Amino acid sequence: MTGGALLLATFLAADAADIDDDLPDLTDKIAQMASEVAFELQQICPPASPSDQAAFDRCRRSLFGDSALRRSLAPRLLWGRRNQDAAAALSDTNLTQFAPDVITGLYLPLFMYSGEYSTEYFERERLYLIRLRAGFRNLLPPGQFPYPFWHEEAKWGAYQAANAVLFWVNPKTAKVVIGQFTERGSGNPVVSTQPISHKFNGKWMWMDKEGRIQPRVTLFDGLFRQDNPYLPKLDSTYRTLALRMRDAQCDNCHMPNNPMPMRRLVLMHTPAHAAGEISRLMTAVREDRMPLDDTGAEQPLEAALKRALLESGGAFEELVKAAKDWEAAHRD
């Protein structure tokens, strides 16, 4: 088994004491969950124009809150394209690790859902697969995507042509542990759209003509309330953390183009992505498991860099928690 495959296999096994054969399969619960999630997605993220910003915003807010989908996600899960080799196992597929906040706030709302779905068990993966007929909002402004998907032509093409979203579910926990999108589902996308092209200028974040930081969706825009008192502090604190991560060579690995490359990628390049992974980042730095050198071996940080990264990361982690606590206390 390759190092990447071992990492992914370890991730799958760690989801819950996981594939413990002493635990019963939750077949009936998974069937009920699939039905509830498919119906919910049809109601709050229905087919619409791929450029409809209001429809996208409604979908994001609903999924990010107390949704059936959100409750069905594992505490951490993987996301990415289906392997171009239809016979390839999940362990041989490049996927990105996300917290539920990130995937419900940034990724899954980019799709529209018809409510059509199917469920089956895959013996090889020892997981259930829920297939949802879908379509992609390719005509949104560039700042509504979590990063420029068009940095890789094949990835952007697969997103634009997607006709299905796949949820792989642990039979022992009834939680989604892997999500994927594919252009090889049955039928056409739920909405027909013309593919468009964007030019990638090498920047994962940028300033628009009005001087606003983009992508807007990664700044908690539309997810946290505008009167959340912690939003300005989150922005400035993340900027400090980003500088410390750059000094610590975190951008050698944790970027969307997957420079290493890794089977299981963790992204830290925007505030929203970092917020989802900050606890694990702090643990890895404390335990000297980051950064990795060119061979993939752990290379502990110099004491001053480590101290600065832990200090800025700790401040960001505290603000993320405070912002979420404020949101919970001010729900309508």
Side-chain angles (χ1 to χ4, degrees):
M1 180 179 289
T2 65
L6 179 60
L7 278 172
L8 184 54
T10 302
F11 174 90
L12 292 172
D15 171 56
D18 237 323
I19 312 296
D20 184 341
D21 290 331
D22 292 334
L23 295 175
D25 281 1
L26 302 175
T27 304
D28 292 342
K29 186 174 181 179
I30 291 169
Q32 180 180 355
M33 180 266 282
S35 176
E36 290 177 353
V37 167
F39 178 75
E40 176 183 72
L41 288 171
Q42 180 193 31
Q43 295 300 301
I44 62 179
C45 307
S49 167
S51 64
D52 191 331
Q53 182 71 46
F56 174 56
D57 290 340
R58 285 193 298 272
C59 177
R60 285 184 77 214
R61 285 194 297 268
S62 298
L63 292 185
F64 188 74
D66 183 24
S67 63
L69 174 61
R70 177 68 176 266
R71 294 191 299 272
S72 301
L73 300 179
R76 54 177 176 149
L77 61 157
L78 301 173
W79 169 256
R81 279 178 284 178
R82 189 142 200 201
N83 199 306
Q84 292 305 298
D85 178 359
L90 289 171
S91 58
D92 294 322
T93 302
N94 290 351
L95 297 166
T96 304
Q97 178 178 305
F98 290 125
D101 279 357
V102 178
I103 200 164
T104 55
L106 300 186
Y107 290 84
L108 293 176
L110 290 169
F111 296 86
M112 302 165 280
Y113 306 86
S114 70
E116 300 165 83
Y117 75 98
S118 64
T119 307
E120 65 179 301
Y121 182 72
F122 271 72
E123 182 64 39
R124 181 183 69 178
E125 305 292 354
R126 303 179 72 184
L127 298 169
Y128 280 91
L129 173 60
I130 301 172
R131 294 186 178 91
L132 298 149
R133 188 173 171 221
F136 184 67
R137 307 179 198 270
N138 70 316
L139 301 182
L140 292 171
Q144 299 304 307
F145 300 96
Y147 62 85
F149 292 159
W150 43 93
H151 77 92
E152 182 185 332
E153 185 176 347
K155 174 185 286 188
W156 179 232
Y159 265 115
Q160 293 194 92
N163 60 359
V165 168
L166 313 175
F167 290 148
W168 294 90
V169 183
N170 185 325
K172 306 300 182 180
T173 64
K175 297 293 186 182
V176 177
V177 293
I178 296 176
Q180 293 180 290
F181 64 94
T182 180
E183 73 281 18
R184 301 196 306 274
S186 61
N188 296 321
V190 297
V191 172
S192 61
T193 184
Q194 291 297 316
I196 63 170
S197 61
H198 293 292
K199 184 177 180 180
F200 180 55
N201 63 4
K203 296 180 180 178
W204 302 113
M205 299 190 75
W206 66 94
M207 301 287 284
D208 65 17
K209 294 179 180 179
E210 285 74 39
R212 297 173 300 184
I213 299 175
Q214 301 287 351
R216 294 295 299 170
V217 290
T218 67
L219 306 178
F220 307 104
D221 185 55
L223 296 178
F224 287 174
R225 290 169 44 157
Q226 288 302 308
D227 57 341
N228 188 315
Y230 296 98
L231 280 177
K233 297 178 183 177
L234 272 173
D235 178 55
S236 61
T237 306
Y238 174 76
R239 290 173 187 246
T240 301
L241 173 61
L243 291 174
R244 300 295 177 263
M245 289 193 294
R246 185 188 64 186
D247 293 341
Q249 304 176 50
C250 296
D251 54 1
N252 287 357
C253 300
H254 301 288
M255 303 299 287
N257 58 336
N258 196 6
M260 281 303 285
M262 296 183 287
R263 285 281 189 220
R264 190 186 75 182
L265 178 64
V266 174
L267 297 179
M268 301 290 296
H269 69 295
T270 75
H273 287 98
E277 300 297 333
I278 187 62
S279 294
R280 283 187 280 280
L281 168 70
M282 298 292 285
T283 298
V285 173
R286 289 190 189 102
E287 296 177 357
D288 291 327
R289 291 189 281 111
M290 291 176 60
L292 305 179
D293 63 20
D294 293 339
T295 69
E298 296 167 358
Q299 186 68 34
L301 291 169
E302 296 178 6
L305 285 176
K306 180 177 179 179
R307 185 167 55 251
L309 186 54
L310 288 174
E311 181 180 327
S312 58
F316 182 69
E317 185 176 25
E318 288 180 9
L319 276 175
V320 169
K321 183 180 184 305
K324 290 181 178 180
D325 289 348
W326 188 92
E327 292 287 332
H330 292 79
R331 283 200 184 107
D332 296 330

